Amino acid sequence: MEGGPDVIKMQQIGVDNTIATLGTALTREHLSLLKRYHAKLCFLPDADAPGIEAVMKNGRLAMQEGFRVLVKEIPPTEDGKKQDADSYFTHKNQVEEVSNEDFVIWYARQVYDENKTDTAKSDAVRDICNIVVTEQDEYTRATLVEALAEKYGHKTLWKNAVNEAKKR
């Protein structure tokens, strides 16, 4: 969650295991404390550019610290306005109905644009694969590469980029 009101709302509707990162304030020390309780994190950002950017930064950091990271996105309103968790969710079932997406796949959707230049796409693939290699489980890492190749094509490119990222 991004802010205190989001956490308060979640607890009011029965979702107790929530914390507020207060934007981009999440640190390695925070993650170390959280790791004592669970090895999986699910980010639920506000549906605006700062919320998305915070999850991109914090999700990467969490993966570097060994967490399994998921993202739930609150859909924008029909007129494209942002919604916060404290205004969107009214009951616990609604939270469960918003699907989880693996952070790597979610991140790829944010940075990879098929309409960009080959250089920009290559940079995005390199960036994404730098995150993929932080996944500690080999099977999960392979599954992520398969999913990325299926979604964006160029299976060999993704595998080669992951191999290069492992060397760094």
Side-chain angles (χ1 to χ4, degrees):
M1 316 293 331
E2 195 167 319
D6 298 323
V7 171
I8 292 168
K9 178 64 172 196
M10 292 293 108
Q11 292 187 357
Q12 286 174 342
I13 63 173
V15 180
D16 296 324
N17 57 345
T18 57
I19 62 162
T21 61
L22 305 176
T24 60
L26 191 64
T27 67
R28 290 186 190 281
E29 291 78 22
H30 293 134
L31 291 168
S32 178
L33 290 171
L34 289 171
K35 191 86 180 229
R36 294 179 186 174
Y37 301 99
H38 211 289
K40 183 167 61 172
L41 292 178
C42 181
F43 288 95
L44 207 160
D46 287 354
D48 59 6
I52 301 301
E53 290 169 15
V55 171
M56 290 173 75
K57 175 186 172 276
N58 292 334
R60 180 188 290 262
L61 182 62
M63 286 205 56
Q64 290 169 352
E65 294 301 309
F67 282 91
R68 185 82 183 105
V69 181
L70 304 171
V71 179
K72 284 183 179 272
E73 265 189 307
I74 299 170
T77 62
E78 289 182 17
D79 58 357
K81 292 183 181 176
K82 85 167 200 140
Q83 298 188 82
D84 296 340
D86 62 327
S87 60
Y88 180 75
F89 295 111
T90 57
H91 54 83
K92 187 175 183 176
N93 290 346
Q94 195 177 9
V95 176
E96 294 164 2
E97 290 168 2
V98 175
S99 63
N100 291 326
E101 186 173 26
D102 185 274
F103 173 73
V104 172
I105 305 303
W106 178 88
Y107 185 92
R109 244 187 335 106
Q110 309 307 312
V111 300
Y112 188 92
D113 184 348
E114 193 62 47
N115 298 316
K116 297 271 181 164
T117 65
D118 287 344
T119 301
K121 288 189 281 190
S122 178
D123 290 345
V125 168
R126 190 175 307 108
D127 183 29
I128 295 161
C129 288
N130 283 335
I131 297 171
V132 169
V133 298
T134 64
E135 171 56 54
Q136 296 175 354
D137 181 69
E138 189 175 327
Y139 176 78
T140 302
R141 197 169 45 243
T143 302
L144 289 169
V145 172
E146 290 290 328
L148 291 164
E150 185 175 316
K151 183 169 179 93
Y152 301 107
H154 313 290
K155 185 175 185 175
T156 304
L157 170 75
W158 288 99
K159 285 186 175 187
N160 289 343
V162 165
N163 289 334
E164 284 300 313
K166 285 179 186 176
K167 294 176 186 175
R168 284 180 239 163

